[in-house]
Amino acid sequence: MGEERHDYAGMARTYRAQRPYRDLDAEMPCVLCKTEPSTLVIFPCEHKCMCLRCMTKHGIGDDWPFCPLCMAEIK
C-alpha cells in the first residue's frame, strides 16, 4: 500500500499567505477585485477576504458556497 506524502513546505507557504486575512483589524484588499478593502468575514474559516460588492457580484455564499481564499465551505 502506498505511503501518503505531505507537502509541508507548500502548507507553510499557504498558511503564511492566508494569515493576514485572519487578522480582523488588518486592512487587506479584497482577494477578488484587489481594489476595495476586505470587510466581510467568512465562517468557519474566519477569513476577512472580500468586499460586499464582490460578494454580491459573484454570489459568494449562495451560488458559490466556498471561501475565495481557502476554498473552505461557508456555513
Side-chain angles (χ1 to χ4, degrees):
M1 197 184 263
E3 197 174 300
E4 188 174 331
R5 296 178 187 258
H6 298 283
D7 177 12
Y8 292 110
M11 291 166 58
R13 282 190 300 275
T14 299
Y15 175 79
R16 279 193 305 274
Q18 293 177 2
R19 183 175 38 195
Y21 291 96
R22 288 186 186 266
D23 180 357
L24 301 182
D25 295 326
E27 293 186 22
M28 299 294 294
C30 172
V31 296
L32 299 174
C33 69
K34 308 229 186 296
T35 57
E36 297 294 319
S38 295
T39 56
L40 302 173
V41 179
I42 296 173
F43 291 97
C45 65
E46 297 182 0
H47 288 133
K48 186 174 90 170
C49 61
M50 72 181 146
C51 65
L52 180 60
R53 183 179 63 152
C54 284
M55 183 194 82
T56 304
K57 178 181 176 183
H58 298 289
I60 306 293
D62 296 322
D63 297 334
W64 182 259
F66 303 102
C67 172
L69 184 63
C70 71
M71 298 303 291
E73 185 176 4
I74 297 171
K75 301 287 180 174

